[in-house]
Amino acid sequence: MKIELWPVLPPIYLMMGKAANRGVFSEFDSSLGQILQELINVLPVSARIPKEEDVQLQKRVATLFQSGTVVDELLPSFRMSAKSLGEKWMCPQDPCRPLMVFFELSEYVLRADLKLLYGQTFSDRYYDLILPRFTQWVKNIANGQLIGFFDDLGGCLRQEIADRQAHPDLYEDDRSVMQVYLASGALDRHAVDDVVGLLSMTLMAAVFNTQISLAWILVHLYSDAELLRRARSEIASCRNADAYVELAGESFYI
């Protein structure tokens, strides 16, 4: 569906699915395709994303995300990171400085996504290097500067892939998207740069979707006292916050 509100707003599209995406880029507004290509041109690693979909690889990754066991393994670390960030917010170095929720969430979201997508070893090894560069990259987006971060990330990913190929036995118990890629033979079907591109764009999508969603959730919660009370009450009443099945049973989370 195309909504025309010109000159108040540019064209707005409501779409769903791959066919709709292709329709927007080809039939509805061809200029959007050029905008997308310009974005790809400034993200070097993404330019090597395979043209054809790897359906089997997608199914294996989907299976990972659908595993309650995997979620349960990750929840404790997510909660610890959230607690640490909350304590930091409650005791700021400059109490007079406003809390920039969206930017501040980078620390929590990036750590969680690095562990889920690339594994605990990668997160422990590269988090301190990646966080400040990612934070600066997010700030630079407002100025139209989209280069820098993904070159750094790509270098870290290539090194990690090489380490996993050299010592596969050390990562047999790793449950991450990267390990799913390697264990399913992605490097037999795609070049290393293609795999790095896929992993990089997965991080980009995961971080922004999660970070924006969390920021809006917090804004709505703290602007509605009753909603905030309800959320706190349900969290407090949850018997085991480290179990996905318990969290999924709460009406607030649904």
Side-chain angles (χ1 to χ4, degrees), residues 77-78 80-82 84-85 88 103-116 118-136 149 152-153 156-157 160 203 207 211:
S77 65
F78 290 174
M80 288 179 61
S81 296
S84 176
L85 182 61
K88 176 182 175 182
F103 292 117
E104 292 286 345
L105 281 171
S106 291
E107 181 177 344
Y108 172 72
V109 174
L110 185 64
R111 185 183 290 278
D113 283 336
L114 287 180
K115 182 175 181 178
L116 176 61
Y118 307 150
Q120 185 66 59
T121 301
F122 182 95
S123 180
D124 292 342
R125 183 179 297 167
Y126 295 110
Y127 176 79
D128 290 337
L129 170 67
I130 290 175
L131 176 62
R133 299 184 184 185
F134 175 77
T135 302
Q136 185 60 51
F149 170 71
D152 297 330
L153 176 63
C156 296
L157 289 173
E160 181 71 11
L203 177 68
V207 165
Q211 197 161 334

Side-chain angles (χ1 to χ4, degrees), residues 5-193:
L5 296 175
W6 185 261
V8 179
L9 292 171
I12 299 174
Y13 298 94
L14 301 179
M15 58 186 183
M16 180 179 295
K18 299 173 184 176
N21 291 342
R22 286 193 292 269
V24 169
F25 289 133
S26 61
E27 301 170 15
F28 305 149
D29 192 339
S30 58
S31 64
L32 292 176
Q34 180 61 34
I35 293 173
L36 176 64
Q37 186 57 52
E38 291 177 1
L39 177 61
I40 290 175
N41 289 340
V42 298
L43 300 176
V45 294
S46 70
R48 292 299 304 273
I49 292 179
K51 295 181 180 179
E52 300 296 327
E53 294 180 62
D54 192 325
V55 177
Q56 292 303 315
L57 187 59
Q58 291 178 349
K59 288 181 178 180
R60 289 179 180 273
V61 172
T63 300
L64 175 72
F65 286 121
Q66 293 166 359
S67 170
T69 302
V70 172
V71 175
D72 284 350
E73 290 176 354
L74 293 168
L75 278 174
S77 65
F78 290 174
R79 291 182 66 239
M80 288 179 61
S81 296
K83 181 180 179 181
S84 176
L85 182 61
E87 292 173 348
K88 176 182 175 182
W89 286 2
M90 294 300 294
C91 301
Q93 293 182 346
D94 181 3
C96 297
R97 186 178 70 87
L99 179 63
M100 307 298 288
V101 175
F102 179 77
F103 292 117
E104 292 286 345
L105 281 171
S106 291
E107 181 177 344
Y108 172 72
V109 174
L110 185 64
R111 185 183 290 278
D113 283 336
L114 287 180
K115 182 175 181 178
L116 176 61
L117 298 179
Y118 307 150
Q120 185 66 59
T121 301
F122 182 95
S123 180
D124 292 342
R125 183 179 297 167
Y126 295 110
Y127 176 79
D128 290 337
L129 170 67
I130 290 175
L131 176 62
R133 299 184 184 185
F134 175 77
T135 302
Q136 185 60 51
W137 182 77
V138 172
K139 292 179 179 178
N140 287 343
I141 290 177
N143 301 322
Q145 301 175 24
L146 296 176
I147 60 176
F149 170 71
F150 284 93
D151 281 335
D152 297 330
L153 176 63
C156 296
L157 289 173
R158 289 183 181 87
Q159 182 59 53
E160 181 71 11
I161 290 173
D163 290 345
R164 290 179 181 236
Q165 287 181 297
H167 307 286
D169 55 307
L170 298 180
Y171 301 92
E172 291 179 351
D173 297 327
D174 181 87
R175 300 197 185 193
S176 66
V177 172
M178 178 186 290
Q179 191 60 24
V180 169
Y181 279 21
L182 300 183
S184 62
L187 290 174
D188 297 333
R189 302 186 299 276
H190 307 290
V192 172
D193 283 347

